[in-house]
Amino acid sequence: AVATTAMLSQTRSRAAEPSKRPNIIFILADDYGIGGIGCYGCDRYKTPNLDALAQTGVRFETCLAMPLCGPTRGVFMTGRYPFRTGLINNGAGNQLSPDKEVPIARIMKEAGYATAVAGKWRQLQYFSTKEDGRRWGFDEFLIWGIGGGQPERYWDPVYNKNGEPLTDAKGRYGPDLLHEFVVDFIRRHKDSPFFIYYPTPL
């Protein structure tokens, strides 16, 4: 029992060292499958940057995806099938709540990671204030898709930054703003582990 306790203690100590834990950036693209990526055998399109990411990161050989973006987002956030959470279609986002589920960002936060989300937060509800972000497990966010209708996401985008409307978006291209946000977050947290959920609106 003493040896086991010592071993567990050493494991926990190693796990607590920031340099030993990987940084995670999860990029989610809508309506984009492996049939359009070179490293999976596509020769119709050239994807050198994605191929380079696959060489230096994690490349899945077997995976499961939902046929709609709302359920896909719910599955990633919770690790649970749509029929378990109630998010079975794009209009059922209010069924998925961080009060009823255990979001991945909250797990990462509890493990000592700095957390952020940048991009499309549509088909999921309960997210417009800084407190909403914390309930999901995010320290910071820059997101599109709050409230009803279809606010602009590209030029002069309507984005929410940490619970407030983004004020310096006039004349700017939304995906560039998201990229700048992600790069800034990485720079500020480069000496500690971070988790970024990057559901691009492209």
Side-chain angles (χ1 to χ4, degrees):
V2 173
T4 304
T5 303
M7 196 166 71
L8 286 172
S9 176
Q10 287 177 346
T11 303
R12 286 190 189 114
S13 175
R14 281 194 200 108
E17 295 176 31
S19 62
K20 301 295 182 188
R21 291 181 284 176
N23 294 320
I24 300 168
I25 302 173
F26 185 88
I27 302 169
L28 178 65
D30 275 348
D31 306 323
Y32 193 65
I34 62 173
I37 304 173
C39 66
Y40 286 101
C42 174
D43 55 9
R44 183 174 179 190
Y45 307 106
K46 302 299 179 198
T47 58
N49 293 323
L50 293 176
D51 298 346
L53 278 173
Q55 287 179 343
T56 60
V58 176
R59 185 166 70 98
F60 294 99
E61 295 290 336
T62 305
C63 63
L64 173 69
M66 302 298 111
L68 296 169
C69 60
T72 295
R73 293 163 195 284
V75 167
F76 176 69
M77 283 280 93
T78 66
R80 290 170 30 97
Y81 289 113
F83 72 88
R84 300 251 186 234
T85 64
L87 181 50
I88 57 172
N89 59 49
N90 285 345
N94 60 354
Q95 297 296 310
L96 185 64
S97 164
D99 299 329
K100 295 189 278 184
E101 301 293 338
V102 182
I104 188 172
R106 205 161 66 209
I107 292 169
M108 300 305 288
K109 181 79 183 146
E110 290 169 4
Y113 278 70
T115 58
V117 56
K120 181 180 173 187
W121 191 270
R122 290 193 71 75
Q123 291 86 37
L124 295 175
Q125 298 296 320
Y126 308 104
F127 205 159
S128 60
T129 68
K130 199 161 190 176
E131 182 53 37
D132 290 339
R134 286 192 199 102
R135 287 171 51 226
W136 281 98
F138 294 112
D139 296 316
E140 298 179 38
F141 57 88
L142 180 61
I143 53 177
W144 170 77
I146 302 304
Q150 289 282 333
E152 182 54 50
R153 66 174 122 173
Y154 298 121
W155 291 104
D156 302 331
V158 178
Y159 284 176
N160 180 327
K161 183 175 183 180
N162 299 323
E164 301 291 334
L166 186 64
T167 57
D168 60 350
K170 188 76 175 156
R172 301 290 309 276
Y173 185 55
D176 287 346
L177 292 168
L178 295 170
H179 180 74
E180 290 168 12
F181 175 86
V182 168
V183 170
D184 176 66
F185 186 86
I186 291 169
R187 284 184 178 139
R188 288 185 288 111
H189 296 91
K190 65 182 183 207
D191 296 325
S192 59
F194 59 79
F195 168 76
I196 301 171
Y197 172 44
Y198 197 178
T200 172
L202 291 171

